[in-house]
Amino acid sequence: MLIAGNWKMFKGAHEARAFATRIRHLPERTQGVDVVVCPPFVSLQAALQGLGEESLVRVYAQNVHWELDGAFTGEVSAPMLLELGVKGAIVGHSERRQHFGETDETVRQRAEAGLEAGLSVIACVGETGTERESDETQDVLARQVGVLPRHERLVIAYEPVWAIGTGRTATPEMAQEAHAFIKSLHDAPVLYGGSVKPENALVLLGQPDVDGALVGGASLDPASFEAICLAGAEVAAA
Ligand code: PEP
């Protein structure tokens, strides 16, 4: 079970350090759950400092470039992240696909390079509301999942775009159906993402093919992030 908090473009260094300090002992209360936070690039180091050397909470970036270095203004490479102590990266988040021209091909390149360099990778897939309404969910998932490499450090996050930051959550049955389909295509663990909060975490995480959650808005508040991780531990112990 993996619970990852995607902080998006929230929390500068000061806030990231304070949050990390508060949750550094959380994994001691959430047996069976790998706890991950994904701060913005500029706050990665502060989060690592707040956690300290002993903490089992891991820090991932929200993106990673496919080259080791080069003329790629605004990008950050896997070796740069590893040098800081960052253990992984999200790739292909729908906000990257929607607003920053990320494609299946760039997602594949980012995932492959990150994994090859030694990072863990959470690769996001998911259909838009229009695609779901026109019955294209499986085609979209097959296309997005189809490009992802096979690797022991790859985790897939199913994030229906219509459920991200909207308060609209996929029903547990919808999540389960999509996760089972993804697992028929790829053998990676699959996280659910899309308005996960303490009130719905238990039932979503309790679905047989849901292996954890990628949490946006509800990961910004330490109390609600802790509550979701505790729900994960309850499911893991069941
Ligand atoms: C996300 O950013 O990956 C996400 C799922 O956001 P939210 O939980 O706010 O819907």
Side-chain angles (χ1 to χ4, degrees):
M1 173 82 62
L2 169 64
I3 308 289
N6 172 19
W7 293 356
K8 312 194 188 208
M9 198 171 72
F10 293 99
K11 299 192 191 298
H14 185 78
E15 227 185 303
R17 187 181 287 103
F19 188 112
T21 304
R22 164 149 178 190
I23 63 156
R24 71 190 149 168
H25 295 299
L26 177 60
E28 292 154 31
R29 292 188 287 132
T30 57
Q31 297 279 317
V33 178
D34 291 327
V35 180
V36 168
V37 290
C38 310
F41 286 128
V42 293
S43 305
L44 290 168
Q45 189 156 32
L48 286 159
Q49 287 166 349
L51 290 170
E53 304 262 303
E54 306 292 312
S55 178
L56 296 172
V57 176
R58 285 177 293 159
V59 175
Y60 285 15
Q62 295 173 17
N63 204 358
V64 59
H65 196 259
W66 54 85
E67 293 291 343
L68 301 180
D69 51 24
F72 299 102
T73 303
E75 293 284 334
V76 170
S77 75
M80 294 171 185
L81 296 172
L82 287 160
E83 186 182 333
L84 274 186
V86 171
K87 298 282 190 252
I90 299 172
V91 300
H93 191 279
S94 66
E95 287 151 17
R96 301 292 318 166
R97 293 179 191 256
Q98 267 181 297
H99 306 304
F100 301 99
E102 207 74 72
T103 64
D104 292 338
E105 178 53 18
T106 59
V107 173
R108 179 191 67 75
Q109 287 182 280
R110 291 178 192 278
E112 277 182 4
L115 292 163
E116 200 171 310
L119 291 172
S120 294
V121 167
I122 300 175
C124 303
V125 300
E127 80 287 356
T128 63
T130 316
E131 288 162 344
R132 177 164 280 271
E133 278 154 27
S134 46
D135 221 8
E136 289 168 51
T137 300
Q138 292 202 341
D139 293 344
V140 172
L141 293 179
R143 198 191 70 227
Q144 294 178 343
V145 171
V147 300
L148 298 175
R150 262 67 185 160
H151 197 286
E152 60 180 12
R153 275 183 273 107
L154 179 82
V155 170
I156 297 173
Y158 170 60
E159 299 207 313
V161 179
W162 49 270
I164 297 180
T166 59
R168 290 176 62 203
T169 316
T171 62
E173 294 75 25
M174 278 157 93
Q176 168 56 28
E177 189 186 350
H179 282 227
F181 178 67
I182 292 168
K183 287 187 173 201
S184 74
L185 306 170
H186 202 301
D187 59 5
V190 184
L191 313 181
Y192 173 75
S195 300
V196 175
K197 33 189 187 269
E199 304 82 67
N200 60 22
L202 207 53
V203 63
L204 286 163
L205 294 170
Q207 300 305 304
D209 289 314
V210 174
D211 302 311
L214 181 54
V215 187
S219 75
L220 297 173
D221 169 53
S224 81
F225 184 60
E226 282 170 8
I228 293 167
C229 292
L230 287 164
E234 201 174 318
V235 173

PDB file of all heavy atoms in Angstrom, residues 6 8 93 159 163-165 193-196 214-217, ligand 1:
ATOM      1  N   ASN A   6       0.487  14.611  -3.429  1.00  0.00           N
ATOM      2  CA  ASN A   6       0.967  15.506  -4.491  1.00  0.00           C
ATOM      3  C   ASN A   6       0.626  16.934  -4.095  1.00  0.00           C
ATOM      4  O   ASN A   6      -0.538  17.324  -4.128  1.00  0.00           O
ATOM      5  CB  ASN A   6       0.276  15.127  -5.815  1.00  0.00           C
ATOM      6  CG  ASN A   6       0.581  16.124  -6.912  1.00  0.00           C
ATOM      7  OD1 ASN A   6       1.551  16.884  -6.830  1.00  0.00           O
ATOM      8  ND2 ASN A   6      -0.242  16.134  -7.947  1.00  0.00           N
ATOM      9  N   LYS A   8       1.345  19.610  -5.612  1.00  0.00           N
ATOM     10  CA  LYS A   8       1.158  20.519  -6.761  1.00  0.00           C
ATOM     11  C   LYS A   8       1.984  21.795  -6.542  1.00  0.00           C
ATOM     12  O   LYS A   8       3.080  21.713  -6.004  1.00  0.00           O
ATOM     13  CB  LYS A   8      -0.324  20.828  -6.979  1.00  0.00           C
ATOM     14  CG  LYS A   8      -1.187  19.569  -6.979  1.00  0.00           C
ATOM     15  CD  LYS A   8      -2.558  19.819  -7.503  1.00  0.00           C
ATOM     16  CE  LYS A   8      -3.422  18.586  -7.293  1.00  0.00           C
ATOM     17  NZ  LYS A   8      -4.481  18.448  -8.264  1.00  0.00           N
ATOM     18  N   HIS A  93       1.283  13.537 -14.947  1.00  0.00           N
ATOM     19  CA  HIS A  93       0.078  13.999 -14.241  1.00  0.00           C
ATOM     20  C   HIS A  93      -0.832  14.713 -15.240  1.00  0.00           C
ATOM     21  O   HIS A  93      -0.345  15.393 -16.149  1.00  0.00           O
ATOM     22  CB  HIS A  93       0.476  14.948 -13.095  1.00  0.00           C
ATOM     23  CG  HIS A  93      -0.674  15.245 -12.187  1.00  0.00           C
ATOM     24  ND1 HIS A  93      -1.632  16.185 -12.498  1.00  0.00           N
ATOM     25  CD2 HIS A  93      -1.040  14.706 -11.005  1.00  0.00           C
ATOM     26  CE1 HIS A  93      -2.532  16.207 -11.525  1.00  0.00           C
ATOM     27  NE2 HIS A  93      -2.204  15.312 -10.609  1.00  0.00           N
ATOM     28  N   GLU A 159      -6.008   8.149 -12.458  1.00  0.00           N
ATOM     29  CA  GLU A 159      -6.607   9.408 -12.018  1.00  0.00           C
ATOM     30  C   GLU A 159      -7.580   9.898 -13.079  1.00  0.00           C
ATOM     31  O   GLU A 159      -7.173  10.570 -14.039  1.00  0.00           O
ATOM     32  CB  GLU A 159      -5.518  10.462 -11.798  1.00  0.00           C
ATOM     33  CG  GLU A 159      -4.512  10.081 -10.745  1.00  0.00           C
ATOM     34  CD  GLU A 159      -3.903  11.309 -10.088  1.00  0.00           C
ATOM     35  OE1 GLU A 159      -3.505  12.242 -10.797  1.00  0.00           O
ATOM     36  OE2 GLU A 159      -3.861  11.329  -8.855  1.00  0.00           O
ATOM     37  N   ALA A 163     -12.256  13.722 -12.001  1.00  0.00           N
ATOM     38  CA  ALA A 163     -12.341  13.588 -10.530  1.00  0.00           C
ATOM     39  C   ALA A 163     -11.207  14.336  -9.820  1.00  0.00           C
ATOM     40  O   ALA A 163     -11.158  14.346  -8.598  1.00  0.00           O
ATOM     41  CB  ALA A 163     -12.309  12.111 -10.145  1.00  0.00           C
ATOM     42  N   ILE A 164     -10.307  14.947 -10.589  1.00  0.00           N
ATOM     43  CA  ILE A 164      -9.154  15.586  -9.947  1.00  0.00           C
ATOM     44  C   ILE A 164      -9.485  17.014  -9.548  1.00  0.00           C
ATOM     45  O   ILE A 164      -9.836  17.846 -10.389  1.00  0.00           O
ATOM     46  CB  ILE A 164      -7.924  15.563 -10.882  1.00  0.00           C
ATOM     47  CG1 ILE A 164      -7.528  14.113 -11.157  1.00  0.00           C
ATOM     48  CG2 ILE A 164      -6.768  16.341 -10.267  1.00  0.00           C
ATOM     49  CD1 ILE A 164      -6.341  13.973 -12.053  1.00  0.00           C
ATOM     50  N   GLY A 165      -9.406  17.276  -8.256  1.00  0.00           N
ATOM     51  CA  GLY A 165      -9.623  18.621  -7.729  1.00  0.00           C
ATOM     52  C   GLY A 165     -11.056  19.102  -7.876  1.00  0.00           C
ATOM     53  O   GLY A 165     -11.357  20.272  -7.690  1.00  0.00           O
ATOM     54  N   GLY A 193      -6.379   8.017  -7.782  1.00  0.00           N
ATOM     55  CA  GLY A 193      -6.291   9.451  -7.481  1.00  0.00           C
ATOM     56  C   GLY A 193      -7.486  10.188  -8.034  1.00  0.00           C
ATOM     57  O   GLY A 193      -7.933   9.902  -9.151  1.00  0.00           O
ATOM     58  N   GLY A 194      -8.007  11.142  -7.266  1.00  0.00           N
ATOM     59  CA  GLY A 194      -9.151  11.938  -7.705  1.00  0.00           C
ATOM     60  C   GLY A 194     -10.051  12.188  -6.529  1.00  0.00           C
ATOM     61  O   GLY A 194     -10.902  11.368  -6.195  1.00  0.00           O
ATOM     62  N   SER A 195      -9.793  13.341  -5.862  1.00  0.00           N
ATOM     63  CA  SER A 195     -10.610  13.758  -4.719  1.00  0.00           C
ATOM     64  C   SER A 195     -10.676  12.713  -3.604  1.00  0.00           C
ATOM     65  O   SER A 195     -11.715  12.533  -2.965  1.00  0.00           O
ATOM     66  CB  SER A 195     -12.016  14.161  -5.182  1.00  0.00           C
ATOM     67  OG  SER A 195     -11.939  15.240  -6.102  1.00  0.00           O
ATOM     68  N   VAL A 196      -9.545  12.027  -3.369  1.00  0.00           N
ATOM     69  CA  VAL A 196      -9.471  11.139  -2.200  1.00  0.00           C
ATOM     70  C   VAL A 196      -9.388  12.014  -0.951  1.00  0.00           C
ATOM     71  O   VAL A 196      -8.644  12.996  -0.913  1.00  0.00           O
ATOM     72  CB  VAL A 196      -8.234  10.213  -2.271  1.00  0.00           C
ATOM     73  CG1 VAL A 196      -8.095   9.385  -0.992  1.00  0.00           C
ATOM     74  CG2 VAL A 196      -8.317   9.298  -3.481  1.00  0.00           C
ATOM     75  N   LEU A 214      -3.010   8.382  -4.784  1.00  0.00           N
ATOM     76  CA  LEU A 214      -2.273   9.620  -5.057  1.00  0.00           C
ATOM     77  C   LEU A 214      -3.241  10.741  -4.699  1.00  0.00           C
ATOM     78  O   LEU A 214      -4.314  10.857  -5.280  1.00  0.00           O
ATOM     79  CB  LEU A 214      -1.852   9.687  -6.537  1.00  0.00           C
ATOM     80  CG  LEU A 214      -1.049  10.915  -6.978  1.00  0.00           C
ATOM     81  CD1 LEU A 214       0.192  11.131  -6.124  1.00  0.00           C
ATOM     82  CD2 LEU A 214      -0.636  10.791  -8.452  1.00  0.00           C
ATOM     83  N   VAL A 215      -2.870  11.513  -3.688  1.00  0.00           N
ATOM     84  CA  VAL A 215      -3.800  12.460  -3.076  1.00  0.00           C
ATOM     85  C   VAL A 215      -3.324  13.884  -3.341  1.00  0.00           C
ATOM     86  O   VAL A 215      -2.175  14.215  -3.045  1.00  0.00           O
ATOM     87  CB  VAL A 215      -3.851  12.239  -1.542  1.00  0.00           C
ATOM     88  CG1 VAL A 215      -4.932  13.106  -0.910  1.00  0.00           C
ATOM     89  CG2 VAL A 215      -4.042  10.767  -1.196  1.00  0.00           C
ATOM     90  N   GLY A 216      -4.186  14.714  -3.903  1.00  0.00           N
ATOM     91  CA  GLY A 216      -3.832  16.109  -4.148  1.00  0.00           C
ATOM     92  C   GLY A 216      -4.269  16.991  -3.000  1.00  0.00           C
ATOM     93  O   GLY A 216      -3.611  17.075  -1.960  1.00  0.00           O
ATOM     94  N   GLY A 217      -5.431  17.635  -3.171  1.00  0.00           N
ATOM     95  CA  GLY A 217      -5.915  18.625  -2.199  1.00  0.00           C
ATOM     96  C   GLY A 217      -5.863  18.173  -0.747  1.00  0.00           C
ATOM     97  O   GLY A 217      -5.397  18.916   0.129  1.00  0.00           O
TER      98      GLY A 217
HETATM   99  C1  PEP B   1      -3.755  14.810  -7.847  1.00  0.00           C
HETATM  100  O1  PEP B   1      -3.284  15.930  -7.888  1.00  0.00           O
HETATM  101  O2  PEP B   1      -3.071  13.864  -8.249  1.00  0.00           O
HETATM  102  C2  PEP B   1      -5.125  14.617  -7.346  1.00  0.00           C
HETATM  103  C3  PEP B   1      -5.671  13.427  -7.394  1.00  0.00           C
HETATM  104  O3  PEP B   1      -5.749  15.720  -6.844  1.00  0.00           O
HETATM  105  P1  PEP B   1      -7.061  15.756  -5.883  1.00  0.00           P
HETATM  106  O4  PEP B   1      -6.852  14.715  -4.818  1.00  0.00           O
HETATM  107  O5  PEP B   1      -7.098  17.156  -5.346  1.00  0.00           O
HETATM  108  O6  PEP B   1      -8.240  15.436  -6.744  1.00  0.00           O
END
